[in-house]
Amino acid sequence: MFLVDSHCHLDGLDYDTLHNDVSDVLAKAAARDVKFMLAVATTLPGYKAMVELIGDRPNVAYSCGVHPLNQEQPYDFAELRQLAADQRVVAMGETGLDYFYQKETKEQQQASFREHIRIGRDLNKPVIVHTRDAREDTLAILKEEKVEGCGGVLHCFTEDRETAAKLLDMGFYISFSGIATFRNAESIREAARCVPLDRMLVETDSPYLAPVPFRGKENQPAYTRDVAEYMAVVKGVSIEQMAEATTKNFSDLFHVPLSRLTDA
């Protein structure tokens, strides 16, 4: 079986007390059939440091972008484009809108979000979207910027069934994290039942949001297995079917050949 962690922050894990190094994290993941992962950036300096930490590995791909909560200081869109053009980068982001924590940077968030989509269209690289308390603006910008030109995924899905339907109509993929395993997450599970298996991804968003039974502990890519097993039950399929579908979906969305995944 082959699982992909479609969204993790490998540079944010505890390498002082929980893991020896990146290779240790990847080995723990592989032991649970999580054999490929997408390491996601949240700032441009963070992207550079992340690549330096992880290096070139056959089982890790990169995204490049600036998170909506990191908009206090302006950054150079030209530098974003230059870094994102690297062949190791398969996605833009994570980008998007977050009005829950920082509504005061609304204009900067929107400008940054639009630029990520524009660069994604130019480079043929999909966008990884974060949204919180900003559903209408998120959907509007995706439509206005013609996101279908590059495609994308709403990661760590916490929206409702209606939002899922609108994203699916745009050709989007939807990624589910450990939040879906939480007791009070029935609305997320209800939405997941309506998401076709061929448009679904699984992720950890590690080191955050560890799934049950690890809730409250540091999350890690190995726990993708727990998310996938849970979502398989929600969808009424086997874990093998969930793994096969989400791996193919990852390949299709991020233009990573299945041969690279299965050979990793």
Side-chain angles (χ1 to χ4, degrees):
M1 187 163 59
F2 195 108
L3 286 162
V4 177
D5 185 350
S6 69
H7 191 113
C8 59
H9 302 281
L10 287 177
D11 53 331
L13 299 181
D14 181 356
Y15 294 106
D16 293 327
T17 59
L18 295 181
H19 314 289
N20 296 326
D21 51 25
V22 174
S23 294
D24 184 32
V25 171
L26 302 185
K28 291 171 181 173
R32 302 197 68 210
D33 296 316
V34 183
K35 300 173 183 176
F36 197 93
M37 54 211 66
L38 178 53
V40 176
T42 58
T43 67
L44 299 188
Y47 163 77
K48 296 173 189 175
M50 182 173 68
V51 172
E52 185 174 348
L53 172 71
I54 300 168
D56 293 338
R57 295 174 185 263
N59 51 353
V60 179
Y62 293 105
S63 82
C64 181
V66 180
H67 194 282
L69 294 180
N70 293 325
Q71 300 293 329
E72 300 93 337
Q73 300 295 325
Y75 68 94
D76 186 354
F77 289 162
E79 183 183 15
L80 171 63
R81 180 182 293 268
Q82 179 185 18
L83 293 173
D86 190 307
Q87 64 179 2
R88 295 171 295 183
V89 173
V90 301
M92 303 297 305
E94 64 185 284
T95 183
L97 304 173
D98 193 317
Y99 299 164
F100 181 82
Y101 286 112
Q102 289 186 12
K103 197 167 186 177
E104 68 274 9
T105 62
K106 182 176 178 179
E107 290 185 4
Q108 297 97 309
Q109 290 185 41
Q110 291 184 4
S112 176
F113 187 20
R114 290 180 185 277
E115 192 64 25
H116 278 74
I117 300 170
R118 292 166 186 169
I119 295 173
R121 290 202 323 263
D122 289 345
L123 299 179
N124 192 30
K125 296 185 180 184
V127 289
I128 300 171
V129 178
H130 166 110
T131 186
R132 189 168 185 185
D133 280 12
R135 178 181 66 176
E136 295 306 319
D137 283 354
T138 298
L139 292 172
I141 288 173
L142 289 172
K143 186 174 182 179
E144 290 165 10
E145 296 297 336
K146 299 179 175 57
V147 75
E148 65 274 9
C150 61
V153 56
L154 189 71
H155 101 94
C156 196
F157 185 84
T158 56
E159 300 295 323
D160 58 15
R161 182 173 173 176
E162 180 185 0
T163 304
K166 290 180 178 179
L167 289 164
L168 292 169
D169 286 345
M170 292 183 191
F172 249 55
Y173 288 74
I174 296 176
S175 182
F176 294 92
S177 70
I179 294 178
T181 71
F182 297 174
R183 185 173 58 183
N184 62 350
E186 183 53 38
S187 62
I188 298 174
R189 293 187 284 271
E190 180 184 356
R193 294 184 187 103
C194 300
V195 176
L197 197 58
D198 64 0
R199 303 283 283 283
M200 184 177 287
L201 296 174
V202 286
E203 64 171 91
T204 60
D205 200 15
S206 55
Y208 317 107
L209 305 170
V212 175
F214 306 105
R215 189 174 182 182
K217 300 179 181 179
E218 181 189 87
N219 204 356
Q220 60 176 289
Y223 299 163
T224 308
R225 175 65 179 258
D226 300 274
V227 177
E229 287 179 344
Y230 193 91
M231 296 310 298
V233 173
V234 169
K235 294 297 291 179
V237 300
S238 68
I239 179 58
E240 289 81 10
Q241 287 173 295
M242 179 60 65
E244 182 178 4
T246 52
T247 296
K248 183 180 185 302
N249 296 343
F250 182 90
S251 171
D252 291 343
L253 174 61
F254 294 110
H255 313 298
V256 179
L258 272 174
S259 59
R260 177 184 172 185
L261 297 178
T262 54
D263 290 342

Short mmCIF file of all heavy atoms in Angstrom, two decimals, residues 139-160:
data_model
loop_
_atom_site.label_atom_id
_atom_site.label_comp_id
_atom_site.label_asym_id
_atom_site.label_seq_id
_atom_site.Cartn_x
_atom_site.Cartn_y
_atom_site.Cartn_z
N LEU A 139 -13.86 32.01 -2.34
CA LEU A 139 -14.50 31.48 -3.54
C LEU A 139 -14.52 32.53 -4.66
O LEU A 139 -14.29 32.20 -5.83
CB LEU A 139 -15.93 31.04 -3.22
CG LEU A 139 -16.05 29.82 -2.30
CD1 LEU A 139 -17.52 29.61 -1.90
CD2 LEU A 139 -15.51 28.57 -2.98
N ALA A 140 -14.76 33.78 -4.29
CA ALA A 140 -14.83 34.84 -5.30
C ALA A 140 -13.48 35.05 -5.98
O ALA A 140 -13.40 35.17 -7.22
CB ALA A 140 -15.29 36.14 -4.64
N ILE A 141 -12.41 35.08 -5.19
CA ILE A 141 -11.08 35.29 -5.77
C ILE A 141 -10.67 34.11 -6.64
O ILE A 141 -10.09 34.29 -7.73
CB ILE A 141 -10.05 35.57 -4.66
CG1 ILE A 141 -10.29 36.97 -4.08
CG2 ILE A 141 -8.61 35.45 -5.17
CD1 ILE A 141 -9.45 37.31 -2.87
N LEU A 142 -10.95 32.91 -6.20
CA LEU A 142 -10.64 31.74 -7.02
C LEU A 142 -11.33 31.84 -8.38
O LEU A 142 -10.72 31.54 -9.42
CB LEU A 142 -11.09 30.46 -6.31
CG LEU A 142 -10.29 30.04 -5.07
CD1 LEU A 142 -10.97 28.88 -4.37
CD2 LEU A 142 -8.87 29.66 -5.46
N LYS A 143 -12.58 32.27 -8.38
CA LYS A 143 -13.32 32.40 -9.63
C LYS A 143 -12.80 33.55 -10.48
O LYS A 143 -12.56 33.40 -11.68
CB LYS A 143 -14.80 32.60 -9.32
CG LYS A 143 -15.69 32.59 -10.55
CD LYS A 143 -17.16 32.65 -10.16
CE LYS A 143 -18.06 32.59 -11.39
NZ LYS A 143 -19.51 32.62 -11.01
N GLU A 144 -12.57 34.71 -9.84
CA GLU A 144 -12.12 35.89 -10.57
C GLU A 144 -10.75 35.70 -11.20
O GLU A 144 -10.48 36.19 -12.30
CB GLU A 144 -12.08 37.10 -9.62
CG GLU A 144 -13.46 37.59 -9.20
CD GLU A 144 -13.40 38.54 -8.01
OE1 GLU A 144 -12.28 38.97 -7.64
OE2 GLU A 144 -14.47 38.85 -7.45
N GLU A 145 -9.89 34.97 -10.50
CA GLU A 145 -8.54 34.75 -11.01
C GLU A 145 -8.42 33.51 -11.90
O GLU A 145 -7.33 33.10 -12.27
CB GLU A 145 -7.55 34.65 -9.85
CG GLU A 145 -7.41 35.92 -9.03
CD GLU A 145 -6.86 37.10 -9.84
OE1 GLU A 145 -6.17 36.85 -10.85
OE2 GLU A 145 -7.13 38.25 -9.46
N LYS A 146 -9.57 32.91 -12.21
CA LYS A 146 -9.62 31.77 -13.14
C LYS A 146 -8.68 30.64 -12.69
O LYS A 146 -7.80 30.18 -13.43
CB LYS A 146 -9.26 32.23 -14.56
CG LYS A 146 -10.22 33.28 -15.11
CD LYS A 146 -9.82 33.72 -16.51
CE LYS A 146 -10.85 34.67 -17.11
NZ LYS A 146 -11.08 35.88 -16.29
N VAL A 147 -8.93 30.19 -11.46
CA VAL A 147 -8.05 29.19 -10.86
C VAL A 147 -8.06 27.87 -11.64
O VAL A 147 -7.13 27.07 -11.51
CB VAL A 147 -8.44 28.95 -9.38
CG1 VAL A 147 -9.73 28.11 -9.28
CG2 VAL A 147 -7.31 28.29 -8.60
N GLU A 148 -9.08 27.67 -12.45
CA GLU A 148 -9.09 26.44 -13.25
C GLU A 148 -7.89 26.36 -14.18
O GLU A 148 -7.55 25.28 -14.67
CB GLU A 148 -10.40 26.32 -14.03
CG GLU A 148 -10.62 27.38 -15.10
CD GLU A 148 -11.26 28.66 -14.57
OE1 GLU A 148 -11.38 28.81 -13.34
OE2 GLU A 148 -11.64 29.50 -15.42
N GLY A 149 -7.23 27.50 -14.39
CA GLY A 149 -6.03 27.51 -15.23
C GLY A 149 -4.84 26.82 -14.61
O GLY A 149 -3.89 26.46 -15.32
N CYS A 150 -4.88 26.61 -13.30
CA CYS A 150 -3.78 25.88 -12.65
C CYS A 150 -4.30 24.78 -11.72
O CYS A 150 -3.58 23.85 -11.40
CB CYS A 150 -2.88 26.84 -11.86
SG CYS A 150 -3.70 27.74 -10.53
N GLY A 151 -5.54 24.89 -11.28
CA GLY A 151 -6.09 23.91 -10.36
C GLY A 151 -5.62 24.16 -8.94
O GLY A 151 -4.81 25.05 -8.67
N GLY A 152 -6.17 23.37 -8.03
CA GLY A 152 -5.75 23.54 -6.65
C GLY A 152 -6.50 22.64 -5.69
O GLY A 152 -7.32 21.81 -6.09
N VAL A 153 -6.19 22.83 -4.41
CA VAL A 153 -6.78 22.03 -3.35
C VAL A 153 -7.08 22.94 -2.17
O VAL A 153 -6.29 23.83 -1.84
CB VAL A 153 -5.84 20.88 -2.92
CG1 VAL A 153 -4.47 21.40 -2.48
CG2 VAL A 153 -6.47 20.04 -1.80
N LEU A 154 -8.24 22.75 -1.56
CA LEU A 154 -8.49 23.37 -0.27
C LEU A 154 -7.98 22.39 0.77
O LEU A 154 -8.53 21.31 0.95
CB LEU A 154 -9.97 23.66 -0.06
CG LEU A 154 -10.24 24.50 1.19
CD1 LEU A 154 -9.76 25.93 0.98
CD2 LEU A 154 -11.69 24.50 1.58
N HIS A 155 -6.92 22.79 1.45
CA HIS A 155 -6.30 21.85 2.38
C HIS A 155 -6.97 21.96 3.75
O HIS A 155 -7.62 22.96 4.08
CB HIS A 155 -4.79 22.10 2.45
CG HIS A 155 -4.34 22.88 3.64
ND1 HIS A 155 -3.90 22.27 4.79
CD2 HIS A 155 -4.26 24.21 3.86
CE1 HIS A 155 -3.56 23.20 5.67
NE2 HIS A 155 -3.77 24.38 5.13
N CYS A 156 -6.85 20.91 4.53
CA CYS A 156 -7.36 20.88 5.91
C CYS A 156 -8.82 21.35 5.92
O CYS A 156 -9.17 22.30 6.64
CB CYS A 156 -6.48 21.73 6.81
SG CYS A 156 -6.69 21.43 8.56
N PHE A 157 -9.66 20.69 5.17
CA PHE A 157 -11.03 21.14 4.95
C PHE A 157 -11.82 21.22 6.25
O PHE A 157 -11.92 20.23 7.00
CB PHE A 157 -11.74 20.19 3.98
CG PHE A 157 -13.11 20.63 3.61
CD1 PHE A 157 -13.31 21.53 2.58
CD2 PHE A 157 -14.22 20.14 4.28
CE1 PHE A 157 -14.59 21.94 2.22
CE2 PHE A 157 -15.51 20.54 3.94
CZ PHE A 157 -15.69 21.44 2.90
N THR A 158 -12.39 22.41 6.52
CA THR A 158 -13.24 22.59 7.71
C THR A 158 -14.52 23.33 7.34
O THR A 158 -15.22 23.85 8.22
CB THR A 158 -12.50 23.39 8.81
OG1 THR A 158 -12.06 24.64 8.26
CG2 THR A 158 -11.32 22.63 9.34
N GLU A 159 -14.84 23.38 6.06
CA GLU A 159 -16.03 24.09 5.61
C GLU A 159 -17.23 23.14 5.55
O GLU A 159 -17.17 22.03 6.05
CB GLU A 159 -15.74 24.73 4.25
CG GLU A 159 -14.60 25.73 4.26
CD GLU A 159 -14.89 26.96 5.11
OE1 GLU A 159 -16.06 27.40 5.12
OE2 GLU A 159 -13.97 27.48 5.75
N ASP A 160 -18.31 23.60 4.90
CA ASP A 160 -19.52 22.80 4.87
C ASP A 160 -19.72 22.15 3.51
O ASP A 160 -18.93 22.33 2.58
CB ASP A 160 -20.74 23.64 5.26
CG ASP A 160 -20.92 24.86 4.35
OD1 ASP A 160 -20.30 24.91 3.26
OD2 ASP A 160 -21.68 25.77 4.72
#
